[in-house]
Amino acid sequence: MTGSAPFNELVGELDFPMFIVTARAGEELAGCLVGFATQTSINPSRFLVCLSLANHTTRIAAMASHVAVHFVPDTATDLAELFGGVTGDEADKFARCDWHPGPHGLPILDACENWFVGRVVERVDLGDHVGHLLSPEISHHGATGPEFAFHRAQSIEPGHEP
C-alpha cells in the first residue's frame, strides 16, 4: 500500500510515552501534551520535542530560550487531559493544576516528578509541527513507574483544531 493513510495506521500502533512541555515568554506561560518527542543524541545529550503549529504553546516556545519537558506518570490522566484537551488560547491551564516556578522561571508541574529543562539549540520546520532541539541543562528524577502512553492519549479531544 502507498500513501499516508497506511503509514499513519502503522505508526498509530506504536505506544510511546507522552510528555508535557511547558514554556515561558515574559510573563506568559504555556504548556501542552506532546506525543512527538525523542532523544536524538547521547554525546552531546540532545532531545527533540515537536510542537503543533496550531498550538498556543508553539507561539510561546518560539520566543523562549528554554523549555521544560515533563514525563507524565500513568496516574496523571487529569493532567494529560488538561494539557491535551484545553487550549491555552482560551484558558489558564496553570490555574487548574499544581505547579511551581523552576529554572528560568519555567512552570514545573508538581504531579510530574521526572522532568528536565533544556536550552533550545535549534528550531526546525517539520511540516505541521516545529521541532525544538534541546540541550538538557537541569534534570530531576524523582519517581519510577509506568508513564502515560499514547494509546491512552488517543481518547483526548484536542483543545485546538489539528
Side-chain angles (χ1 to χ4, degrees), residues 100-118:
H100 62 275
H104 303 282
L106 290 165
I108 302 298
L109 304 174
D110 293 348
C112 299
E113 294 185 56
N114 299 329
W115 53 267
F116 72 90
V117 169

Side-chain angles (χ1 to χ4, degrees), residues 3-126:
S4 62
F7 174 76
N8 291 340
E9 184 177 324
L10 178 67
V11 297
E13 294 179 13
L14 297 174
D15 202 20
F16 42 85
M18 301 296 290
F19 301 90
I20 294 175
V21 172
T22 59
R24 178 184 199 115
E27 294 304 310
E28 191 163 4
L29 306 178
C32 65
L33 188 66
V34 172
F36 299 151
T38 188
Q39 181 178 357
T40 61
S41 176
I42 296 170
N43 188 17
S45 295
R46 295 288 187 263
F47 196 87
L48 181 70
V49 294
C50 305
L51 304 177
S52 169
L53 291 174
N55 201 310
H56 174 254
T57 303
T58 305
R59 294 187 296 280
I60 303 306
M63 298 180 280
S65 63
H66 293 77
V67 299
V69 179
H70 300 78
F71 294 59
V72 183
D74 188 54
T75 57
T77 303
D78 290 347
L79 196 64
E81 289 175 349
L82 173 63
F83 281 88
V86 175
T87 176
D89 289 320
E90 299 171 1
D92 179 358
K93 298 178 197 181
F94 298 98
R96 300 179 185 188
C97 67
D98 294 327
W99 65 278
H100 62 275
H104 303 282
L106 290 165
I108 302 298
L109 304 174
D110 293 348
C112 299
E113 294 185 56
N114 299 329
W115 53 267
F116 72 90
V117 169
R119 177 178 54 83
V120 179
V121 174
E122 186 174 349
R123 291 180 178 88
V124 181
D125 178 353
L126 300 173

Side-chain angles (χ1 to χ4, degrees), residues 131-151:
H132 293 72
L133 184 63
L134 306 177
S135 175
E137 292 185 348
I138 300 166
S139 301
H140 185 267
H141 186 259
T144 58
E147 292 164 359
F148 193 87
F150 176 71
H151 78 274

